[in-house]
Amino acid sequence: MIKVSAPGKCHLIGEHSVVYGEPAIIAAIGKRCAVLAKKSEDVIIHSRELAAEKKYSCAETIEFANNVQKLWDSCFEKKDFSELFELMKKDGMNPVKAAIGKALVSMGVNSGVVVRISSDIPIGAGLGSSSAMSISIVKAISELYEKNLSDEQINEITLGVERFNHGTPSGGDNSTCCFGGLIWFRRIDSKITIKSLKEEIPYAMKNFILVNTGRPKRTTGELVQQVRGLPDVFRTPRIKALGNIAVEMRNILKKRDFKKMKDLMNLAQKNLAELGVSTPEIDKLTKSIMATGGAAKLCGAGGGGTVLCYHEDRERLVRTVRESGYQPMEVELGVEGVRIDE
Ligand code: PMV
């Protein structure tokens, strides 16, 4: 029996633009997904969040992952992942089954696993719940079957799993859940840069609050596809602007210039809203926070989900969030990545 856990994540900057080769700054958050796993002949999944339990044969699980991979390949050719997303949404267990199947195939394991999943990360809120789950499952299987894969290898397999869930993800989410801390992430074609910002930004990120505005109607993959569907001439300048904001954000965080950081967060929100991934609720909340001299931006794919809020006067921020009808979520930023828990 082994227990593995991984943190969720929160984009300080760079969601969506990261899909187009621009950089992102992403923090691991103090909410984790835990997976308790043991070897078994079959694949048995217990999910606390889905309040469900399912049993599949090992062969069936591997065949499912192989079929999902074939479907991903054909969707990639068509540049339309709708059919894949439909399949993954059809049954809440499908993403878990696919993750386990992909891990078994990638590691050449011909046996099953019992997994018990429990997570503190709100599902579908832009906080990397699926990445944290997938990375924990892949690491647990590697440890159980003594494959002793490095975190880099675990991360690579998990990116394959993330493709099943999101079509063409950047890999930023799973990398943050894997390595933890505060990371600079950039992917240009197949070249990936993952840099810890621990030395440049060694201090604790204070006065940030997360607010969950509700479960998005569309998935991350669907929202990424929606942005891709915008005319190039409209999308590209906004994506470039977000990329420039990320570069500037890294510099000003180094200098601890929080006044400028607020401007950058608000500018990012403006660009994301223009890309069509904000909602009336998020617009209202971000405007209320800006009106008090704070900053707020959506976080992750959008269409609902989490808003990252900042104000030097934390009490005031909490008050504004509450007055807007939301519950502030106080979380630590920059926590440890995937790990084996005792
Ligand atoms: O909504 P989340 O937590 O899955 O974050 C998605 C971030 C995007 O930039 C929109 C997509 C990606 O693959 O990086």
Side-chain angles (χ1 to χ4, degrees), residues 9 11 14-16 18-19 126-128 166 168-171 173 220 224 300-301:
K9 62 82 214 178
H11 277 75
E15 49 277 273
H16 286 287
V18 73
V19 175
L127 295 177
H166 306 310
T168 53
S170 62
D173 286 19
T220 296
V224 168

